[in-house]
Amino acid sequence: MSRRGPLACATVMVGLVASGVWAQEKPKYGYKDTPMLPGGKWHVHDSDRPLPPVITPGTASTQDAPGSAPSDAVVLFDGKDLSHWKSDRGGEAKWDIRDGALVIHPGAGAILSRDEFGDCQLHLEFASPVPPKGADQGRGNSGVMFFGRYEIQVLDCYDNKTYADGHAAAIYGQHPPLVNASRKPGEWQTYDILFTAPRFKDDGTVETPAHATILHNGVAVQNHAELLGPMAFRALPKYRKHGPAGPILLQDHGNPVRFRNIWVRPLNHG
């Protein structure tokens, strides 16, 4: 029996691969002989259906430091500047940045994101002023509004009673949160919100209303809640037709609430 050296063996292997003897075919997965899914575009387990894009997930925040955003997110505030924001009164945003946090400057007015979004996932973190001042709606009050009009309430609700549909994580004036998951004043809190924008018919009537699912500090407090319309104070909301995308608004309600680690992921439906 003859013995071949390493070089000879390597030469034989290269030749076999080149000739296709050892060539590996592309792995096969999925099926084409299965029922068609609704819409008539893809089969169940369709081998031709595009695979989800690969992203890098973000990291979790701690009380001492914010986490990072997913790689496909639009970062609206990373602790450095206000370049992604403008004033609702026109011109540059006039809130303050202190120790990596975006701080409401009372009386400066609301700020709007320069980017606009439709269906999206929003993450933001906020901390109520410490020591706490005021009570009811006058304590750590702000809000985040999709399209500049659909409000999720921001409020210090740690040992602070207020009306249910004005509570922290309420869809303001419409749906109280399922539970009060508020942390103490001064501690960082998180909102993770899945927002589905409303759709309108050509005549301006609502085809499908907006919906929101909210996690407050990791706790589900709104579960695909249907919005009755835009924010309204002491009134019933009423939808008015608008475009498919709009800005994120942070409200100035006169309290120096802090924000950090704000990012948005547009949700595209394939």
Side-chain angles (χ1 to χ4, degrees), residues 171-265:
I171 298 172
Y172 187 79
Q174 302 177 36
H175 300 295
L178 298 173
V179 295
N180 178 357
S182 298
R183 291 193 171 118
K184 295 178 180 179
E187 294 185 4
W188 285 105
Q189 308 191 56
T190 62
Y191 277 174
D192 289 285
I193 304 169
L194 298 177
F195 181 80
T196 303
R199 270 65 169 171
F200 298 92
K201 299 178 182 178
D202 291 340
D203 63 3
T205 58
V206 177
E207 182 173 5
T208 55
H211 289 82
T213 295
I214 304 173
L215 300 181
H216 181 195
N217 295 324
V219 178
V221 294
Q222 302 283 357
N223 184 16
H224 197 60
E226 179 181 312
L227 275 69
L228 306 178
M231 186 276 291
F233 179 58
R234 300 184 66 182
L236 291 174
K238 182 179 180 181
Y239 278 107
R240 291 179 176 81
K241 185 178 180 181
H242 54 71
I248 304 293
L249 180 148
L250 296 180
Q251 183 186 50
D252 170 17
H253 205 277
N255 302 143
V257 178
R258 295 180 292 154
F259 294 90
R260 72 177 187 182
N261 197 23
I262 306 173
W263 50 262
V264 184
R265 295 182 61 248

Side-chain angles (χ1 to χ4, degrees), residues 17 57 168:
V17 172

Side-chain angles (χ1 to χ4, degrees), residues 32 34-44 46 49 270:
K32 299 296 287 186
T34 50
M36 188 71 72
L37 289 164
K41 189 174 183 180
W42 306 112
H43 293 271
V44 174
D46 201 317
R49 194 169 190 176

Side-chain angles (χ1 to χ4, degrees), residues 11 18 36 62-63 75 82 89 97 99 109 119 140 152 159 167 174-175 181-182 196 200 211-212 220 234-235 256:
T11 302
M36 188 71 72
T62 67
Q63 286 297 318
V75 178
L82 282 161
R89 301 171 181 175
I97 298 178
D99 300 323
D119 298 351
I152 309 303
D159 197 23
H167 204 280
Q174 302 177 36
H175 300 295
S182 298
T196 303
F200 298 92
H211 289 82
R234 300 184 66 182

Side-chain angles (χ1 to χ4, degrees), residues 117-119 145-150 195 197-198 242-249:
F117 306 93
D119 298 351
M145 300 187 189
F146 296 86
F147 286 77
R149 67 188 74 194
Y150 304 106
F195 181 80
H242 54 71
I248 304 293
L249 180 148

Side-chain angles (χ1 to χ4, degrees), residues 1 18-19 27 34 44 48 70 72 77 87 94 141 144 146 153 157 170 202 228 232 258:
M1 180 185 296
S19 65
T34 50
V44 174
D48 293 330
D72 63 343
F77 182 70
S87 171
K94 292 181 170 56
N141 192 325
V144 53
F146 296 86
Q153 175 75 315
C157 279
D202 291 340
L228 306 178
R258 295 180 292 154

